[in-house]
Amino acid sequence: SGSVMMQEILRRPAKILTKAQREAYFRDGFIGAEGLVDQHWLARLNRVTAEFVEISRDYSSERRDKRFDLEPDHSADNPRLRRLNSPVDHHKEYWAFASTGPFVDIAEDLLGPNVKFHHAKLNFKWGGGGEEVKWHQDIQFWPHTNYQVLTLGVYLDDVTEAMAPMGVIPGSHSGPLYDLYDTQGNWTGNIRDSEVPGLGIETAVYLGGPAGSITAHNCRCVHGSPPNNSEKPRPLLLCAYAAAHALPITDLTRGGKYAETIVRGQPARWAQFDPRPVLMPPDWSKTRYKSIFEHQQGDG
């Protein structure tokens, strides 16, 4: 059962997190921690990220590039990236961070000794109204055989309350998985408006902090973020990891250069199955996989 697994993980000495942080993750489904990524890594990540912002100036909604998810009003003079897709596939610095940086120690502290990389993305949430992300859970986008899957994020710049940090609802990882299709059966990627009043969004904790602050949230957590009404973008590098015994049950990341790479420990001989059901997303192999922004904003 989940509590046995949790006790086994907590019995292992921590690599980087405190006992209180690990316990909070299991209790609430998430944690935020300030300053866990040092200036050395931040400088490396920000340098390569600035390069991609420059490259994005050459693209638009007419001239697409699969690396970039652009806001509708993105332009060469005023680049407005929503997302750099799968950054680890496009630059070795991102993969060096995802596979050897502090995220791997954090993942081991929360998932146990054997950890796989699943995928990464860099969400920019541009200033001056960068789009909201409506309330949702992650695992319905990329179902696995169990829920020992989490996403780690690092803020590449200081994030204040005005900059729309991610909000997570405590304890929601222990609650229901929600249907992310609308009443007509169309995938929207967000919890239906009619169900939002029952989510307890007034309890949401918004995880900001100085550059180098991290977020960790379980794949069942209900989370989202408001529009960014500050003047500055809010770059958040996100990497999803799974315990080695949690196997993906769709082929969403099959093309990813590093998908399912063991970054700590050993591959699993035995897959583990959680008895709780998981919602299946549309078959992305039959349709172009659109980002959560495109689905939720109805564009793309």
Side-chain angles (χ1 to χ4, degrees):
S1 82
S3 61
V4 173
M5 205 176 286
M6 175 182 85
Q7 294 309 326
E8 279 175 15
I9 294 169
L10 288 173
R11 266 201 298 276
R12 295 170 49 79
K15 284 281 182 348
I16 197 167
L17 296 177
T18 65
K19 182 168 182 281
Q21 285 169 330
R22 295 168 89 193
E23 287 171 349
Y25 171 81
F26 287 107
R27 180 186 68 240
D28 300 332
F30 69 94
I31 52 167
E34 294 196 352
L36 280 194
V37 176
D38 65 25
Q39 292 306 316
H40 160 76
W41 272 120
L42 284 174
R44 288 172 67 177
L45 292 170
N46 276 311
R47 190 178 313 124
V48 61
T49 299
E51 287 172 24
F52 279 103
V53 173
E54 285 307 305
I55 294 167
S56 79
R57 293 177 189 270
D58 294 337
Y59 295 91
S60 65
S61 49
E62 283 70 57
R63 184 175 178 229
R64 284 180 178 271
D65 182 292
K66 66 179 187 352
R67 293 174 295 184
F68 303 117
D69 178 356
L70 305 172
E71 285 193 18
D73 53 354
H74 169 89
S75 67
D77 304 333
N78 182 26
R80 294 184 67 81
L81 275 77
R82 287 191 289 210
R83 174 178 287 175
L84 174 62
N85 292 312
S86 201
V88 297
D89 288 7
H90 307 309
H91 202 290
K92 62 184 191 305
E93 284 285 76
Y94 291 121
W95 176 241
F97 177 76
S99 59
T100 68
F103 272 8
V104 184
D105 286 336
I106 298 167
E108 182 181 350
D109 282 348
L110 300 175
L111 294 170
N114 304 309
V115 178
K116 285 182 309 183
F117 173 80
H118 187 240
H119 73 276
K121 48 195 171 264
L122 176 50
N123 287 350
F124 283 91
K125 182 85 68 157
W126 221 258
E131 287 169 4
E132 74 170 331
V133 175
K134 296 174 185 170
W135 298 105
H136 68 284
Q137 293 155 306
D138 290 337
I139 196 66
Q140 300 94 317
F141 287 81
W142 20 270
H144 280 61
T145 56
N146 67 61
Y147 300 105
Q148 303 274 321
V149 188
L150 52 71
T151 300
L152 302 180
V154 56
Y155 287 119
L156 300 184
D157 204 347
D158 299 347
V159 173
T160 62
E161 217 156 295
M163 291 170 71
M166 180 176 73
V168 192
I169 299 176
S172 54
H173 66 308
S174 302
L177 272 194
Y178 289 88
D179 192 335
L180 305 187
Y181 293 84
D182 66 17
T183 49
Q184 280 78 54
N186 301 302
W187 175 267
T188 63
N190 55 264
I191 294 168
R192 295 175 189 173
D193 292 347
S194 60
E195 297 198 277
V196 168
L199 294 177
I201 58 176
E202 64 287 343
T203 67
V205 177
Y206 289 87
L207 304 169
S213 297
I214 67 105
T215 63
H217 67 277
N218 178 266
C219 64
R220 292 178 65 100
C221 278
V222 175
H223 62 290
S225 56
N228 179 5
N229 292 319
S230 78
E231 291 311 300
K232 292 170 65 180
R234 186 219 70 179
L236 175 61
L237 176 61
L238 295 161
C239 295
Y241 297 89
H245 57 64
L247 303 190
I249 51 180
T250 71
D251 60 1
L252 173 63
T253 58
R254 186 166 291 166
K257 210 184 278 188
Y258 301 107
E260 304 307 295
T261 300
I262 296 285
V263 290
R264 182 65 52 83
Q266 305 295 321
R269 284 239 169 108
W270 298 80
Q272 298 201 13
F273 291 81
D274 192 295
R276 293 170 292 180
V278 64
L279 181 76
M280 293 299 286
D283 182 349
W284 307 122
S285 70
K286 304 264 195 297
T287 57
R288 183 173 77 83
Y289 175 68
K290 296 199 291 194
S291 75
I292 188 169
F293 300 103
E294 290 177 282
H295 281 291
Q296 291 191 354
Q297 310 300 333
D299 70 349

